[in-house]
Amino acid sequence: MRKYIENKEYHKIWKNLILISCWGDMNSTEYLKKIQEIFPNTVIQEKGLLATEGFISFPDTEKNLSKLSFIHIF
């Protein structure tokens, strides 16, 4: 484990990791690039717009886009 961390081979620690769900827009863009470099064979699912009030959008993994959620206010 120490060898993998020292060599920055994190993908060898999590060999069966198939999905990472994380922020990918705005200030997170540079970090997303780093995650993609570290885990080149893992699907990255970028978060949509979330708030404490609810989900504003949700990820569409087929098109790698966010879709607007329907919000109904009574």
Side-chain angles (χ1 to χ4, degrees):
M1 181 93 58
R2 181 176 287 153
K3 180 181 88 171
Y4 294 145
I5 292 170
E6 288 172 356
N7 293 329
K8 298 184 180 181
E9 298 176 312
Y10 306 108
H11 63 281
K12 290 183 179 179
I13 297 171
W14 293 283
K15 297 174 187 173
N16 297 320
L17 184 65
I18 58 172
L19 176 81
I20 297 174
S21 183
C22 63
W23 300 107
D25 296 328
M26 303 299 288
N27 294 340
S28 301
T29 305
E30 290 302 314
Y31 298 105
L32 178 65
K33 290 177 187 176
K34 291 179 183 180
I35 290 172
Q36 290 171 325
E37 290 173 9
I38 293 169
F39 297 99
N41 299 317
T42 302
V43 174
I44 307 294
Q45 179 191 60
E46 297 180 39
K47 297 281 186 208
L49 178 58
L50 304 175
T52 55
E53 297 80 12
F55 287 87
I56 310 304
S57 67
F58 59 93
D60 179 348
T61 55
E62 289 182 21
K63 297 181 181 177
N64 199 23
L65 299 170
S66 293
K67 292 191 175 186
L68 184 63
S69 296
F70 177 74
I71 300 172
H72 184 82
I73 300 173
F74 293 95

